Each structure stands twice: as structure tokens, then as C-alpha cells.
Amino acid sequence: MLMDFYVLSVFAFLLLGRVLATTRNTSNVDTDVSFDQFYQVTWGYDHVLSLNQGREIQLSMDKSSGSGFGSKQSYGSGFFHMRIKLPDKDSAGVVTAYYLTSNGGEHDELDFEFLGNREGKPITLQTNVFVHGYGNREQRIRLWFDPTADFHNYQILWNQRQIVFYVDDIPIRVFKNNTNVGVAYTSHAMQVQASLWDGDDWATDGGQTKTNWSHAPFVAHFQGFDINGCQTQGPGIDQNCYNSGYWWNAQKYWELDADQQNKYENVRKSYMTYDYCTDKGRYPVPPAECLYNM
Ligand SMILES: *[C@@H]1O[C@H](CO)[C@@H](O)[C@H](O)[C@H]1NC(C)=O
Ligand SMILES: *[C@@H]1O[C@H](CO)[C@@H](O)[C@H](O)[C@H]1NC(C)=O
Ligand SMILES: *[C@@H]1O[C@H](CO)[C@@H](O)[C@H](O)[C@H]1NC(C)=O
């Protein structure tokens, strides 16, 4: 009897832990925060629609314009997220972007770019990392679901140790702080941005497959407008943003745990379609960071 109670309590305890762990990160997203609190429209004002009292934003693009929005503040670290549902049907040439970027020259930038495609063909997710104005670090994956059918959560962890791109809690890309071996690392305050624009000169089949404007307007939907980030003023990063009091700076987030590492390796093995690190034509000698980010 006592034994049963013990087993039951342990079980209840584990279950609670599980529930808490899940709310901690997946629900990392608060879908009840209104857009206006942290974000503002940046361009294509008449192509932006606020839905459900600002809990959802629709960006649209037609021949006259695309559209975009960005955070009001800049950040120096954080665990950023956005729930996105991509344009459906024929979206060839259409790029949906969610990214962090600093202002000014020698800028830092962390990109999710969804490259639209003809109906029935897979949408590619391209990521890129710019450090001190230098990018050219493209990686591309196929997704294991249809990103036009429903909202999915796209996240960027950024602390002093590493940058990790996640799709629904699965790491798809890691860029470590390897300044100790001479690899530059992001060091500017960044704003969060999202946009929908015409990229048909490069996005689909290297620019050969063009936007079919008879399908316009193209629309993408966004949710989850709370921001888990350390606000900072000015172009540099306030030292306070490295403080371990911010949960995303805690040791738990310094590197992937074994389970995440497995998932990450599986994505690289099964879903990656392009990696600049292995593109011998572009980089006969792989860039230094390539050795460290597996
Ligand atoms: C990168 O890591 C070093 C320690 O190796 C640390 O001193 C530095 O502040 C980090 N850089 C950034 C921009 O977080
Ligand atoms: C979220 O929590 C689950 C369960 O604890 C864990 O497996 C997963 O790696 C976590 N994801 C992130 C992004 O921390
Ligand atoms: C563009 O879409 C229209 C309407 O579906 C279709 O009739 C036309 O063939 C498409 N054009 C191209 C180049 O695919």
C-alpha cells in the first residue's frame, strides 16, 4: 500500500516535471500578446491585416508590394520565436522571412527564409548567418511537414555560447561562439523582423521558376508576439544581456543536450539539401566554423 503510494507519487512527480518542461519551451510562445505591444509594421502598410484583436497578423504580397513588420526594440540575447503559416498553393518565387538583424554596416543577421515553390513541390527552408557584415553561410533543408497547412513554431536561441535555429523544438542549425579559435560571433544588438517579398530572381530553382502573379495576393500568417529577449539600447550589447538571470543564458542552453544533439544530427542526415560547408566549388577549404558546429 505504502509502496503503491510511493510509486504513484514518483509517477505524478515525473508527469508534473514533464508538463512543466513542455510549457517551459514549446509554450515559450504566448499567443495572447497583441502585436502592437512589441512589434510595428515597417513597410507595405496597406498589405498588412491585423486579425483576432492583433493576436494574428496577415502579410500579403501582390505585384504592387510585399510587406513586413519588426520589433520596436533591439535585443542582445534571447530565445525568439514566431508561429508562421506559409502561403499555400503556387508560391514559387515568394520568400517568407523571419530573422534577427542589426542596423548599420558590418551587420549581424540570423535568417529563416522559406523559399516558395510550385503547388505540390516542397518549400525549402534556408538559413543564413551574417557576422560583422559577412554572410554566405547558407544551409537548406526540406521540412518533414507541410508548412502551408498549419502554424509551426520557428525559434532562434541566442546567448553568449551559441546560436541555435529550431523548428518545433528540433534544432536544425547550430552556430557556436568560437571566438577563442578565431571565428567571429554576433556582437551587435538585433531587431526581430518578418516579411513577405518577391525573390523570384533567386529563390526557386535558382531563379528559373518565376512568381505566377495570377495567384496573387500571396498571404502568410504570423502568431506569438511575445518576445523572450534582453532589451538593449544602442548598437552594441549591454553586458547585462549576458546575465545568467535570463533563463536562455543558463548552462542548460550553452550546448545541445544528448536528445537534441541526436535530433540535430538526424535533420542534417535526412533533411539537409545544401550546406555551404560542403560546397567545394565555393569553399575549397571549408570556413573555420564548419569544423565546430556539428
Ligand atoms: C564569446 O565567448 C567568449 C568566451 O569564449 C566571451 O568572452 C565573449 O563575450 C563571447 N562573445 C559574445 C559576442 O557573446
Ligand atoms: C523542450 O523540452 C523538451 C522536454 O523537456 C526537450 O526534449 C526539448 O529539447 C526542449 N526544447 C528546447 C528548445 O529547449
Ligand atoms: C499561372 O497560373 C495560371 C492559373 O492557374 C495558369 O493558367 C498558368 O498556366 C500559370 N502560369 C505558369 C507559367 O505556370
Side-chain angles (χ1 to χ4, degrees), residues 160 177 179 185-187 242:
Q160 238 184 321
N177 175 345
T179 45
Y185 195 66
T186 47
S187 62
Y242 298 147

Side-chain angles (χ1 to χ4, degrees), residues 90 118 212-215:
D90 184 337
R118 289 273 181 259
N212 184 338
W213 294 104
S214 68
H215 296 295

Side-chain angles (χ1 to χ4, degrees), residues 18 34 48 72 80 107-108 113 130 157 173 186 204 250 257 273 281:
R18 181 110 214 131
S34 158
V48 182
K72 296 175 178 173
F80 305 88
H107 81 298
D108 294 336
E113 290 174 322
F130 284 72
L157 168 68
R173 179 166 191 168
T186 47
T204 312
D257 65 22
T273 56

